Amino acid sequence: MSAPHLLVLADGVQGGVGLWTYTGGSWAPKWPLPGATALDRDGQSLILGIGGSLELRAETSPQTPVASLSPHSGNKLLTGTIVGLDRSDAGVTAIAVSESGGLAFQLVAADGSTGELSPAPDSPFGPSVAWVDSERLAVISDDARQIPRLAVVDTKKHEIVLLSGLGGVRVFALSPDRRTLVAATESAVYVAPVGDWLGDEEPSRMVSLDPSQVVWDLALSADGSRLAMLSGTEDASGVVADIHEITYVRSGSSWSEETDSTVPFSRAVGQVWLD
């Protein structure tokens, strides 16, 4: 493609949820996707949560479904809403499912069969999930003091390890090459190589956040050199408004703001870089 750009799943596309493109600070509504609730990138493919199903689309033609999968346990189809997802290089999709006000995490095999993630994160703060490799899954889990931290679930050994390098994690994202991880707390955004996070090293502070600023979605480009951040301002009643898409670009070890745009929608549930 001529220039890296974003694909954002949000409302406002033909009266409902759909895909927007964002290039150089300019927005364009593209393809309606009624019922879509999650978006992720798996190599050269996009993976979407639509209703209780998973759908694959080619990065080069986001408007066209390539394949779909209905997660199931025996004869029972998935219930609840898929609000987070990531597919491993081995073809196993981790999903975060919202149901009855809580979050549950499941692993979906290539044939659609599901199993509970074990062990599951404790009191998960949010639905962020990302495969570190074919067997280890990054999630958010509370520590003994109920501080949300990054954690890694080993799906083969059935073990979970809390990472101590950063506390208060609200949302995180992993680059598609699985080498860079970025996480946001209530006060700042931090970024570091995955190996540093796994080694419990303190990550670098990339940008500080205003006291009223809330971040709920992050996306790294394929090689981790660009970051997109959806954020807004929270008032005293908890309502988030003044939503912006802010992008950053890395040069060496430093990051600089690239674009800052007021968004043309009221609710976004996922975004990926196309590069």
Side-chain angles (χ1 to χ4, degrees), residues 53-126:
S53 298
L54 299 172
E55 187 175 277
L56 293 177
R57 298 185 175 210
E59 179 186 321
T60 53
S61 54
Q63 71 275 22
T64 305
V66 174
S68 62
L69 190 66
S70 296
H72 60 273
S73 178
N75 294 324
K76 184 180 179 181
L77 293 176
L78 179 74
T79 59
T81 302
I82 299 171
V83 291
L85 74 173
D86 188 35
R87 192 169 70 159
S88 74
D89 295 340
V92 178
T93 304
I95 57 174
V97 180
S98 176
E99 188 172 22
S100 302
L103 276 176
F105 293 81
Q106 298 186 22
L107 302 181
V108 185
D111 64 358
S113 59
T114 63
E116 298 289 335
L117 178 66
S118 177
D122 185 35
S123 303
F125 184 88

Side-chain angles (χ1 to χ4, degrees), residues 107 116-119 135 152-160:
L107 302 181
E116 298 289 335
L117 178 66
S118 177
E135 296 177 351
V152 176
V153 180
D154 189 313
T155 61
K156 186 175 181 179
K157 296 179 180 178
H158 298 289
E159 297 175 349
I160 186 168

Side-chain angles (χ1 to χ4, degrees), residues 249-274:
V249 63
R250 185 182 67 195
S251 177
S253 60
S254 63
W255 291 80
S256 58
E257 184 178 303
E258 188 173 34
T259 64
D260 183 343
S261 173
T262 302
V263 304
F265 43 77
S266 61
R267 181 174 176 267
V269 293
Q271 59 182 342
V272 296
W273 284 95
L274 299 182

Side-chain angles (χ1 to χ4, degrees), residues 143-181:
D143 65 13
R145 295 184 296 164
Q146 296 187 319
I147 296 173
R149 297 183 179 276
L150 280 173
V152 176
V153 180
D154 189 313
T155 61
K156 186 175 181 179
K157 296 179 180 178
H158 298 289
E159 297 175 349
I160 186 168
V161 176
L162 285 168
L163 305 182
S164 61
L166 182 67
V169 176
R170 290 172 170 251
V171 63
F172 72 90
L174 190 69
S175 60
D177 67 6
R178 308 195 191 284
R179 295 182 179 179
T180 306
L181 191 147

